Amino acid sequence: MTKRARLIYNPKSGREQVQKHLPKLLQVYEEAGYETSCFQTSPEPFSAMKEARRCGQEGFDLIVAAGGDGTINEVVTGIAKLPVRPRLAILPAGTTNDFARALRIPRDNLVKAAKVIQKDDSILMDIGQASLETDDGPKSKYFMNIAAAGSMTELTYEVSSQQKSMFGSLAYFLKGAEMLPRLNGTPLKIEYDDGIYDGEASVVFVTLTNSVGGFEKIAPDTVMGDGKFTLIIVTTSNLVELTDLARKLIRGGKHIHDPQIIYTKTNSVRIDCQNDHKLLINLDGELGGHAPVSFECVQQHISFVADTQAIQARTSIKSPQEVQLEKELTNQVLESLDYIDSNDPDQD
């Protein structure tokens, strides 16, 4: 029986690169043995999610999600509850493409990304299930890369599309450096497998991969598919301590050993806000709702096309141009941190 694939693509992503290369992309999957068709998402809410669910219910063997992390999240959400789920492939056409980075999918060329299917290799990935409050009442939502809370996560909403297009993942760090002086702590109660944290936190990350905001050092020892979140709680909002943490992160992920960080593995997390503050919850870069929120890790729930050899070897897939741009912008961020320290009125 012929295998069937459905390419679901966001026409707005990647400066319309998917549409430009669509015939070649379809040909790659045809040559890999799939009878391939495509679906262009519409402005209708949850267009990608609904189509992914339909394809799963109709027995498609492969769904190809072409777009940014938001499009991929919709496709994952569309099939997450199905008893039998198709295999997923990723064509990264967004700006940061964190999930594609984690799977070692090329991010500089969509046709090269499609050709990963020729390796006939997959990885079973965990997904996160979040039970949280929304303006429409309690909801259950899914994420495949990261959930985040705290004042630092507000930078996700402040980085413009133009900044992301120009600087990619480093745009978040540039904005983060700009926001550091106005960060504040929020009184939280956070329950996880091995304990409870009851106190102020400026940032909370619940991650499933090691790629967060384009950086692979925020959760450097994450093992994908092990049934565990990496939980990171930043317990300080002190400017000097935050700039020190940022430097440790940039210089190799040494932040995880800092006393102002709780860094642990856990299957579940619950976050309650201890005052009337509305704590927003970010799921895969998009606003998901607000606390109280519970997270459960659903182990090895979806099979993704991936370069597993590169994952195991932790091989970098950055282009020379990307390496150079990241070096330049990293130096700019470090200069910004030095400027913040030198102008902090609370320093001795």
Side-chain angles (χ1 to χ4, degrees), residues 69-252:
D69 288 335
T71 300
I72 299 167
N73 178 282
E74 275 200 47
V75 171
V76 167
T77 299
I79 69 169
K81 292 184 180 180
L82 299 180
V84 179
R85 295 166 294 280
R87 190 182 182 200
L88 293 191
I90 304 301
L91 294 181
T95 48
T96 54
N97 300 307
D98 270 321
F99 197 62
R101 184 194 300 267
L103 298 181
R104 295 303 190 266
I105 305 296
R107 291 166 293 112
D108 59 341
N109 185 299
L110 289 175
V111 176
K112 283 171 57 179
K115 287 183 177 180
V116 175
I117 193 72
Q118 296 172 350
K119 295 178 180 292
D120 196 24
D121 204 358
S122 300
I123 182 172
L124 281 167
M125 294 290 289
D126 303 340
I127 64 170
Q129 183 172 9
S131 300
L132 72 175
E133 296 295 323
T134 72
D135 292 339
D136 298 322
K139 298 283 184 181
S140 180
K141 297 188 176 184
Y142 295 93
F143 60 101
M144 75 281 175
N145 197 60
I146 182 172
S151 53
M152 176 61 85
T153 63
E154 295 173 8
L155 72 87
T156 304
Y157 315 118
E158 294 195 19
V159 177
S160 69
S161 297
Q162 183 179 12
Q163 288 172 314
K164 287 189 285 186
S165 296
M166 290 176 62
F167 303 125
S169 59
L170 265 296
Y172 291 109
F173 234 103
L174 291 168
K175 177 60 70 172
E178 178 187 318
M179 285 185 63
L180 279 177
R182 50 192 172 102
L183 283 190
N184 53 68
T186 303
L188 302 175
K189 182 179 181 182
I190 304 173
E191 302 174 63
Y192 51 97
D193 289 358
D194 294 331
I196 298 174
Y197 173 73
D198 196 341
E200 287 201 348
S202 56
V203 187
V204 182
F205 289 136
V206 180
T207 78
L208 286 160
T209 80
N210 67 339
S211 184
V212 179
F215 289 86
E216 298 180 52
K217 297 297 184 181
I218 290 181
D221 61 350
T222 295
V223 177
M224 297 185 297
D226 66 350
K228 297 287 186 180
F229 294 123
T230 299
L231 172 65
I232 305 170
I233 307 171
V234 180
T235 63
T236 182
S237 56
N238 177 275
L239 184 58
V240 173
E241 293 172 343
L242 287 172
T243 55
D244 184 51
L245 282 172
R247 288 190 185 89
K248 289 178 178 178
L249 167 60
I250 292 172
R251 292 167 174 161

Side-chain angles (χ1 to χ4, degrees), residues 1-69:
M1 183 180 294
T2 303
K3 297 182 292 185
R4 291 187 298 163
R6 185 72 155 166
L7 194 160
I8 299 174
Y9 70 97
N10 181 347
K12 302 295 185 182
S13 293
R15 298 178 181 176
E16 302 182 356
Q17 288 298 300
V18 178
Q19 286 179 305
K20 179 180 177 181
H21 296 291
L22 194 55
K24 291 182 180 179
L25 297 172
L26 294 174
Q27 182 181 353
V28 170
Y29 294 104
E30 289 279 346
E31 292 175 350
Y34 292 91
E35 181 183 292
T36 310
S37 57
C38 62
F39 174 85
Q40 177 179 296
T41 61
S42 70
E44 177 190 357
F46 311 116
S47 172
M49 182 189 75
K50 293 173 183 176
E51 177 63 11
R53 181 182 297 134
R54 185 194 70 80
C55 292
Q57 291 170 336
E58 293 194 6
F60 277 72
D61 302 279
L62 176 72
I63 295 177
V64 182
D69 288 335

